[in-house]
Amino acid sequence: MVTAVRHLGPNWYASVMGTAVVGTAGAALPLPLPGLRTACTAVWALALALLVTLLAARALHWSHHRDQARAHLGDPATAPFYGCLAMALVSVGGGALTLGPDWLGETAALTLGAVLFAVGTAVGLSVAVAVPYLMAVRHRVEPHQATPVWLLPLVAPMVSAAVGPLLVPHLPPGQARETLLFACVGLFGLSLFGTLLMLPLVFARLVTGGPLPLALTPTLFLVLGPLGQSTTAAGMFADVAPIAVPHSHDAWFALPAVLYGVPVMGFALLWLGLATAHVVRARRQGMGFALTWWAFTFPVGTCVTGAGSLARHTGLVVFDGLAVLLYGVLVAAWATAAAHTARGLVSGRLLAAPRPAPVVPRPATVRTTSGAVR
């Protein structure tokens, strides 16, 4: 077991995030389907089990393979995935608050959700500072290396911003509720402006450097994460503001939730089309399964909850329809990624050491009589 986890990186937490969002997003759908909530609760329970298993496996990784763990932190392609740890903790915590009472009871579910939210938020804030610092000071990165993976540490606080309001009704009225609500608004701003700084680098790399490598192409879906999650968070602020800030006017949070969410969701749909086109191209060129396929899950799930939030605050059926449609995409993506991951675990391929990059001979050059090289 100790040897098996040597190459277990923080990117594995993406499977927890992707599983948790299937449960939480499904529970928020406007679908009166019998058994839907029970199925969503079962999926959340699976996410909780995966989280516990991965935390134990990663603890073994750090205790027995510290050299490899430090190498992950020193790798600019792997270090950003520590944001997935924070998002896995918070997303499972959010599921505990919305679905957990069905099986755990109100008190146990609230305690579990609060603990996971607090720990995940602390980890997320640490990662949001530490990883960009490492990239600037320790890592050696070039503009052509920019990928959507760089967004992961910055999106983690946004997940906390969207889940935190669920705890507001459980706090004493007054200062406690207002403090948590405005702390979540602060997390929203932290993540939003951080994303706005990083996203232009990713888009510039895509336009000037050409398509991403095949294995990284699914990470284009990661851009949907801050878009859908920020729309969800804005809607959650509007939901709890009347009880957290009783002296406020309803429009203080409700109107911004719509005015912000609608254009952001429009851009999310644009990016969804662009990312899908790149994935279709990569698939035609032979893109096989990699753990990056989990990027098809959680970011799409945030768009499901974002569309659901807009449906609540606008009353428009079209947003309900969009949420249901995207949820269908989410379930299909999750089932595909989960099946391939299970196969890879059984075969041992996903836990094996990375294959060394093939040695590519340098192209021969011919020097002309003028001295030019061609």
Side-chain angles (χ1 to χ4, degrees):
M1 174 64 181
V2 173
T3 304
V5 301
R6 175 166 177 77
H7 301 286
L8 186 77
N11 54 331
W12 278 86
Y13 286 111
S15 63
V16 178
M17 298 159 52
T19 303
V21 79
V22 171
T24 54
L29 287 178
L31 289 177
L33 294 178
L36 176 61
R37 185 173 176 86
T38 301
C40 290
T41 306
V43 174
W44 167 77
L46 174 61
L48 177 60
L50 288 174
L51 176 63
V52 172
T53 302
L54 271 175
L55 288 174
R58 286 285 295 168
L60 284 175
H61 175 84
W62 269 96
S63 60
H64 293 276
H65 304 287
R66 196 175 297 272
D67 61 323
Q68 188 71 12
R70 288 174 175 169
H72 286 162
L73 280 173
D75 183 358
T78 305
F81 282 103
Y82 274 91
C84 292
L85 167 59
M87 290 186 279
L89 291 167
V90 176
S91 59
V92 173
L97 296 171
T98 56
L99 295 166
D102 293 1
W103 289 7
L104 301 179
E106 187 71 33
T107 302
L110 177 59
T111 302
L112 177 62
V115 169
L116 290 177
F117 169 77
V119 175
T121 300
V123 172
L125 288 172
S126 301
V127 169
V129 174
V131 173
Y133 174 81
L134 288 174
M135 293 178 69
V137 175
R138 297 289 181 87
H139 300 161
R140 293 294 178 263
V141 294
E142 301 291 338
H144 69 272
Q145 295 175 304
T147 72
V149 172
W150 289 8
L151 295 170
L152 289 173
L154 301 171
V155 179
M158 188 65 80
V159 179
S160 295
V163 171
L166 294 172
L167 289 167
V168 169
H170 301 283
L171 295 176
Q175 288 285 326
R177 288 182 177 179
E178 290 189 39
T179 299
L180 179 56
L181 174 60
F182 284 107
C184 290
V185 175
L187 291 170
F188 175 95
L190 182 160
S191 180
L192 176 63
F193 288 108
T195 299
L196 292 176
L197 287 174
M198 194 68 76
L199 188 55
L201 299 178
V202 176
F203 187 68
R205 152 65 183 89
L206 192 64
V207 173
T208 61
L212 296 177
L214 296 184
L216 288 176
T217 302
T219 65
L220 288 172
F221 276 71
L222 294 177
V223 176
L224 297 175
L227 304 176
Q229 198 68 292
S230 61
T231 302
T232 303
M236 292 298 295
F237 300 157
D239 290 340
V240 302
I243 64 170
V245 193
H247 56 274
S248 69
H249 193 278
D250 289 347
W252 282 16
F253 284 91
L255 186 58
V258 175
L259 295 181
Y260 172 85
V262 172
V264 169
M265 187 58 63
F267 179 68
L269 293 177
L270 170 66
W271 191 271
L272 177 62
L274 176 64
T276 301
H278 275 266
V279 168
V280 170
R281 173 189 173 278
R283 190 65 173 158
R284 287 176 177 173
Q285 293 190 352
M287 180 186 74
F289 174 74
L291 286 176
T292 52
W293 281 34
W294 283 100
F296 297 140
T297 56
F298 188 79
V300 174
T302 67
C303 291
V304 174
T305 55
S309 172
L310 290 175
R312 289 196 310 274
H313 293 287
T314 64
L316 295 177
V317 177
V318 66
F319 287 118
D320 282 328
L322 178 61
V324 172
L325 177 62
L326 290 175
Y327 188 72
V329 174
L330 168 63
V331 171
W334 176 80
T336 302
H340 281 284
T341 301
R343 263 197 301 270
L345 283 172
V346 171
S347 68
R349 181 179 68 85
L350 291 180
L351 292 176
R355 295 180 181 177
V359 178
V360 180
R362 295 180 63 184
T365 58
V366 178
R367 187 171 298 276
T368 66
T369 55
S370 65
V373 178
R374 62 183 177 87

